[in-house]
Amino acid sequence: MSLDELYTSPQIAKRLGVSRQRIDQLVERGQLPQPVGRSGRTRLWRAADIELALAGSDPSTGRPPTPQWDTVPAPDAPLRLDVDEVLTVPGVWYDEAPRVHVRIWRGQAGGTGRTVVLYGALVESHGIIINFAETVARAIAAKHLGVGEARSAWYFGFWPRGFPRPELSIDYVSFAFPRAASGIGLLDTLLRRGSRDAWNGEFDNPVWQKIDRSQLARILGAEPDLDYPPGTYTSAVVTELAAGRRPAAVEFDPRHLRTQLRHITRLHAYRQALLAGAATRPGVPALALLAADGHDVAARTAEALGIAVRVLVPDALAAADNYRAQAAIDDPGAGLVERRHYRPGPDERHLLDRYADLPEHDLSTGAVHRALAAVRALTGVLAEQAETGGDLADPALSDALTAAEPELVSARHLLDPTLIDDPGPAPTAITQPGTAEDAYLATVSWWGPAAGDTHRAAALRGHLWEKDLQGLRTGYDPFGRLVLHNPTTGTLAVERPRALPAAPYPDDAQVMATPGSMTAFVALPDGRCDILPTDPRYSHDDITWGYGGTGPEILARALSFAVLPHPDPEHPLTMEDRPHPTADHLLKLTTSHPQHEPLTLSLGALRAQEGA
């Protein structure tokens, strides 16, 4: 190796514009690699290693080169596991702050310090490692890495078996590290600051490259824990294993079979009490709330609850069968996690089989529709009792009815696909309001909440951060929807509709939306501002634009549903029912509009395109 390929500490100090003592500190903290040898009393570093730590990137893209994993030097000994924890990731908007499993190994390989970061997609926060990779890397580095180490570390994302795919998956993730405009390496400037979090803006434009587990084992010098049985890669399990408790014992019920059985049992018990006769019978406290003619109401409600149980039973049976099948399989991860599968008791199993064996002709469209109406009526009166502290409140029955309602809607849709149902508003928070949100807020009447709307306000508050709860104001938009707004933080919570507007929007109305708000508005020529409804026949309702994905597709479907006309409003067309040029135009419109620019669409122009 020639002297041109080596650096001395004075050369590195000059390169950074710091003292030799500062170089010693940076090496000790892992921000610079260890020297590879000495010449007399002079320590020597590979120039390539230093440049990787300092600039560490392709000058044209700012992205570190991808190593040839099968040829990188194996470590002198298995790397040391320095970090093994669950990390909460700030700065990502979810109902609950997401978490990832972080493991960091350090050690020597080929005479150079090596840092390997493996972050895992926990069951409770699985989407974050793809959608927010740069935020994850930033959070890891802020807590555990110095500036140079953060830039020179190798980052890998991990998905366990069965989630979301049957096989486990490991990806090398590289990030672009922009250079300063002056041409001096950005890290050079940041190192002079001496701050561990000075690099906060550096992770950008992640790129994933799949590797296999043998390559990761070669990099680390040992095989890490990867064989988590499907459904067990959770924060609780990771914490148990990190504390040395192996195997971690898990009460295994990811499909919430225990909860499903509790709902089914409560609905069945209430139905049995109704069939027994008297309206005032103990165990049926809410019946008196429904109507005065107790016996007829009891019979109709009993029929409804029987159908509600019927539609809940298939999923519970499927969960029980799935658990039984999993328990019979020898899992390679059994030494890591012991799954204690939930099993229905004899009485619960008999109840499931009993309802599953009922005649299919009982599930007619009319019967399911009557059941849905009765369940909603009973849910409403129980909600009022709970809100007012009434004596006839029944939380267990309320929970069971709430679980049954969407299954009844699905059953009715399967029996008659032309029917759609208003599932009620979807509460959501908007943390970065723009022009569209300002136009909407200008039409809100600030008072309330009205009597009987306490539960609606509570549902909206549940989507706000704690910092946003102080100083909230409550109001109603021109369409009767509840709105919460914090003028200080700017955050607002709204009830997004999932039903056709009461009257068609006029041609001179405009759809407006702000990047990142996941919500679109309709500015009407009379000064009112509505929230654009999304199509209730699809489970997602967050809208975005500017790329090929779910969000732009949901926006296209919303435009088809709420903006374009329907020959029969009782049976609205799906986007697939539209002529191909119309559907293609909607998708092209929502995928091609610049992702980070506000969206404004003329309703008249959209309708004219459909008729072209």
Side-chain angles (χ1 to χ4, degrees), residues 429-563:
I430 300 172
T431 56
Q432 296 179 329
T435 302
E437 287 73 23
D438 291 340
Y440 177 71
L441 288 170
T443 70
V444 174
S445 176
W446 298 107
W447 65 278
D453 279 348
T454 305
H455 62 289
R456 292 172 62 192
L460 286 176
R461 280 197 300 273
H463 289 262
L464 298 175
W465 292 112
E466 187 174 348
K467 66 180 177 61
D468 298 316
L469 298 179
Q470 297 296 323
L472 275 181
R473 57 176 178 170
T474 304
Y476 289 85
D477 73 9
F479 302 90
R481 301 189 192 96
L482 193 63
V483 183
L484 299 183
H485 180 235
N486 188 316
T488 302
T489 65
T491 295
L492 69 148
V494 299
E495 297 177 319
R496 284 194 300 218
R498 304 203 70 193
L500 285 172
Y505 298 129
D507 285 347
D508 50 353
Q510 283 188 325
V511 172
M512 305 168 59
T514 301
S517 78
M518 309 291 182
T519 305
F521 299 86
V522 181
L524 302 174
D526 61 7
R528 294 178 299 162
C529 194
D530 196 6
I531 301 174
L532 179 71
T534 53
D535 193 328
R537 293 166 290 194
Y538 303 93
S539 57
H540 298 287
D541 55 11
D542 284 346
I543 64 163
T544 51
W545 56 88
Y547 61 97
T550 301
E553 180 185 340
I554 294 303
L555 174 56
R557 293 188 183 281
L559 296 173
S560 171
F561 176 68
V563 172

Side-chain angles (χ1 to χ4, degrees), residues 257-394:
L257 177 58
R258 186 194 303 269
T259 301
Q260 293 182 60
L261 290 171
R262 185 167 62 247
H263 294 332
I264 288 170
T265 301
R266 183 65 184 123
L267 292 171
H268 170 72
Y270 201 93
R271 176 176 181 253
Q272 292 298 99
L274 290 171
L275 293 174
T280 58
R281 186 180 180 85
V284 288
L287 183 60
L289 298 169
L290 294 176
D293 52 345
H295 180 72
D296 290 337
V297 173
R300 291 197 299 272
T301 306
E303 178 198 26
L305 297 185
I307 293 174
V309 174
R310 280 286 302 279
V311 299
L312 288 175
V313 160
D315 194 45
L317 281 172
D321 291 343
N322 177 260
Y323 291 174
R324 186 166 56 250
Q326 289 189 45
I329 297 174
D330 291 331
D331 193 292
L336 203 61
V337 181
E338 176 193 349
R339 291 190 291 185
R340 298 171 179 171
H341 297 81
Y342 183 77
R343 292 181 172 85
D347 291 342
E348 293 172 326
R349 187 72 202 199
H350 174 73
L351 187 62
L352 293 176
D353 292 339
R354 172 181 168 182
Y355 276 93
D357 290 340
L358 290 176
E360 286 296 326
H361 61 72
D362 289 350
L363 279 181
S364 65
T365 304
V368 173
H369 181 76
R370 291 194 302 273
L372 182 60
V375 162
R376 284 176 170 166
L378 190 53
T379 300
V381 295
L382 287 172
E384 289 182 5
Q385 285 290 299
E387 187 174 319
T388 60
D391 296 335
L392 302 180
D394 189 334

